[in-house]
Amino acid sequence: MSGTPPDTSALTAPVDRAAVRAFTAQLRREGKLNSVVVATIGFVVVGGVLLASAILLASIVSFALFADDGRPSPVGIGFLIFFAAVIAMLVFGLTAMFRGRAERRYRLAHFAEANGLTWFPAVPNPDLPGMIFAEGHSREATDVIHGPRPRWVEVGNYTYKTGSGKSEQTHKWAYVMLRLDTPLPHIVLDAVGNNGLFGASNLPATFSRDQRLSLEGDFDQHFALYCPTGYERDALYLFTPDVMARFIDNAAALDVEIIDDRLFLYARRELSTLDPAVWQWIFGTVDAIDAKLDQWARWRDERLAAAPTPVASGVPLLTPPPVGVAREGRRLRRGFSWVGGVLAVLAIGWWLFTVLSDTFLR
């Protein structure tokens, strides 16, 4: 992602099925098809075989039931043809599904290689500091593509689960991560355009509203910016008007998180995809943001004590603050969502109403 458009030919060019099969076999030998993928494939195959067996048995029984004096009746033949067609469609569907997944992996791997990047099929429990990576359980990043073009960048789809049993939910995200030149204060840009009912944020974390910082121009119409208390001047240094313009023009549909030495862009749709237009947009967005990150590299946290340097004259000189962020600026304080609270109260009220109604109406 060095200012040149991505080479997306591998995403759409015809592929050799033999090459796809060989690539899949290589992934298995290298252990890159993780247990979740293998278990899913096994479940689908076993389930398909059992279903096909049940359909075949039903067709034989139907054929026998509708036989007339030992001779097949038209109805029995019809049922047999119907069940045979169902089995054929089942086999075709399973074959197409597995072939499509294998082809997707093949295309993404070769797309990454053509652009100087590396592709991984899945990364369980990715060790990343962003807010979405600390939620729920069964965390997994899939179709992860990363590499140093020109700074380290990573793109992946991501899921995690909350709850268990019947109340279990799967949450789907995608992210773009840029490695920064220096750690920065924890800052979140909550995109206004993707908020939900009554303007409720779609982010999995809620931050205390006294950390909300209003910026000049129309920036607040696109993002709600949160920074740690006492770091308002630092946020203004980082988000100069030209930087704000870059985010508005290129990332207004995404939520942004700056944490430690990483910058994350979050989306609720797949970003690691076979759509060339999505990758062209990702490359363009990363290049546009990267062009303004050099000035961020010069930021230093004045709250970190500067070390005195002794000199021959006996008068120590103070060196600039070291690279890093003071403890109070490393993480935003969590808050409470009033929209979520109202919905929770309504849910509890409805539950109490149903319980009391059942009790008194008996």
Side-chain angles (χ1 to χ4, degrees):
M1 301 180 181
S2 53
T4 58
D7 179 359
T8 60
S9 58
L11 302 176
T12 56
V15 296
D16 180 18
R17 290 184 180 178
V20 173
R21 289 194 295 270
F23 179 72
T24 301
Q26 177 185 347
L27 291 178
R28 290 198 183 100
R29 288 194 301 270
E30 296 174 351
K32 291 183 178 179
L33 286 182
N34 67 353
S35 57
V36 174
V37 174
V38 174
T40 301
I41 293 174
F43 175 79
V44 173
V45 171
V46 172
V49 170
L50 292 176
L51 181 59
S53 301
I55 293 173
L56 181 60
L57 178 62
S59 66
I60 295 173
V61 171
S62 299
F63 188 82
L65 288 176
F66 289 97
D68 185 12
D69 296 330
R71 292 174 298 176
S73 69
V75 177
I77 294 175
F79 269 96
L80 184 61
I81 294 174
F82 170 75
F83 287 126
V86 172
I87 293 176
M89 288 189 293
L90 176 64
V91 171
F92 177 80
L94 290 173
T95 302
M97 182 185 68
F98 291 131
R99 183 182 299 162
R101 290 183 177 179
E103 185 177 304
R104 174 189 173 91
R105 293 192 291 265
Y106 180 85
R107 289 183 180 278
L108 285 174
H110 285 76
F111 163 76
E113 182 180 2
N115 291 279
L117 305 170
T118 304
W119 167 85
F120 286 92
V123 179
N125 294 312
D127 185 19
L128 296 173
M131 70 177 83
I132 67 173
F133 304 103
E135 299 291 325
H137 59 88
S138 303
R139 309 178 187 114
E140 184 179 47
T142 56
D143 289 327
V144 177
I145 293 178
H146 65 203
R149 279 178 58 93
R151 68 176 63 245
W152 188 265
V153 64
E154 179 172 304
V155 182
N157 304 320
Y158 178 72
T159 59
Y160 66 88
K161 296 180 180 180
T162 55
S164 60
K166 294 182 179 180
S167 61
E168 184 177 83
Q169 289 184 320
T170 299
H171 304 264
K172 297 182 179 181
W173 289 86
Y175 66 94
V176 179
M177 183 197 75
L178 282 75
R179 181 69 63 88
L180 303 175
D181 298 311
T182 186
L184 295 176
H186 191 193
I187 295 176
V188 169
L189 306 183
D190 185 359
V192 174
N194 60 23
N195 284 345
L197 187 66
F198 305 118
S201 172
N202 71 326
L203 291 174
T206 302
F207 302 100
S208 178
R209 294 191 63 83
D210 63 356
Q211 300 170 113
R212 172 82 181 269
L213 176 63
S214 179
L215 299 183
E216 63 182 28
D218 61 349
F219 189 79
D220 290 354
Q221 299 176 19
H222 300 276
F223 293 103
L225 187 149
Y226 295 87
C227 71
T229 302
Y231 280 80
E232 293 82 5
R233 188 177 67 173
D234 302 272
L236 293 175
Y237 170 84
L238 297 172
F239 285 89
T240 54
D242 57 333
V243 172
M244 288 190 289
R246 291 295 176 111
F247 278 93
I248 292 174
D249 293 340
N250 297 278
L254 304 175
D255 299 296
V256 183
E257 181 177 20
I258 300 168
I259 182 168
D260 301 335
D261 60 345
R262 319 287 177 92
L263 184 149
F264 290 95
L265 306 175
Y266 299 129
R268 297 305 297 265
R269 60 186 178 93
E270 282 193 346
L271 293 180
S272 187
T273 174
L274 296 183
D275 187 350
V278 172
W279 283 107
Q280 290 165 358
W281 172 77
I282 290 175
F283 273 59
T285 299
V286 169
D287 289 338
I289 295 175
D290 179 70
K292 292 297 179 181
L293 295 186
D294 288 343
Q295 65 192 66
W296 288 11
R298 297 189 292 270
W299 177 86
R300 294 294 182 270
D301 193 342
E302 297 178 353
R303 297 154 192 80
L304 296 176
T309 303
V311 294
S313 63
V315 179
L317 297 177
L318 291 179
T319 59
V323 172
V325 183
R327 181 181 58 82
E328 57 268 28
R330 294 173 190 165
R331 295 294 183 269
L332 288 163
R333 287 182 287 106
R334 296 296 180 97
F336 175 77
S337 172
W338 67 270
V339 175
V342 170
L343 294 177
V345 169
L346 291 176
I348 294 173
W350 177 254
W351 177 77
L352 289 174
F353 173 77
T354 56
V355 171
L356 293 175
S357 298
D358 291 341
T359 301
F360 289 108
L361 291 177
R362 288 179 180 176

